Amino acid sequence: MSAPLVVFGDAQAAAATYLRAALAGRAEPYAAGATVGTRVPDGRRPEDPHLPYVLARLDGAIPDPSRANSRVTLRLTVWHIDPDQAHDLAQLVQGLMAIHNGPVIRSVRPALGPVPALDPDSAVDLSTCTVTANVRPIQLT
């Protein structure tokens, strides 16, 4: 008898989808108008209308040998109009992920950050944090 065929859902897409919905209803002023994506935005100057921007990106995945779980690291980077708002939104995003339990991602814990920085290409303030997430297995036939 062969082992079952098991794959894991797209944690990066699941995180971005969840954060879009979770941020849409937030009252904090630094979260107002935030967009979420999985690619670095083209324009990242403070005068660009799409700031604040949250990037949800998969940094790595380690499937358990049992194939019952995959532990992934998600990097969450926030570009904002100033360093304080970038930090505050990064903390909010990390906190929202920490309480998330959905069909793809079953549990999350904060890992690193937020860590402030400047975008090297645009000099826009940003803040980055990471979370570790457990991803549910999907058994295929």
Side-chain angles (χ1 to χ4, degrees):
M1 179 177 207
S2 63
L5 175 59
V6 175
V7 298
F8 296 95
D10 185 345
Q12 177 177 287
T17 299
Y18 165 69
L19 287 172
R20 277 185 205 105
L23 287 172
R26 300 301 305 185
E28 294 84 359
Y30 52 82
T35 56
V36 180
T38 58
R39 293 178 164 225
V40 175
D42 290 332
R44 298 185 299 275
R45 298 175 316 209
E47 56 273 5
D48 288 336
H50 67 272
L51 293 179
Y53 182 80
V54 178
L55 172 74
R57 199 72 180 177
L58 180 70
D59 270 357
I62 303 173
D64 189 270
S66 71
R67 305 295 287 166
N69 186 65
S70 181
R71 181 163 293 151
V72 303
T73 299
L74 294 166
R75 178 175 23 98
L76 307 165
T77 302
V78 174
W79 284 263
H80 216 307
I81 59 173
D82 64 53
D84 293 335
Q85 292 187 78
H87 175 82
D88 292 346
L89 184 53
Q91 280 194 308
L92 176 61
V93 165
Q94 190 178 48
L96 288 168
M97 285 302 302
I99 62 171
H100 178 60
N101 179 354
V104 175
I105 297 172
R106 63 169 144 207
S107 66
V108 180
R109 65 177 193 166
L112 173 72
V115 177
L118 280 176
D119 183 299
D121 296 325
S122 66
V124 169
D125 291 294
L126 60 85
S127 191
T128 298
C129 59
T130 62
V131 296
T132 303
N134 292 302
V135 179
R136 297 179 196 280
I138 302 166
Q139 187 170 337
L140 302 178
T141 56

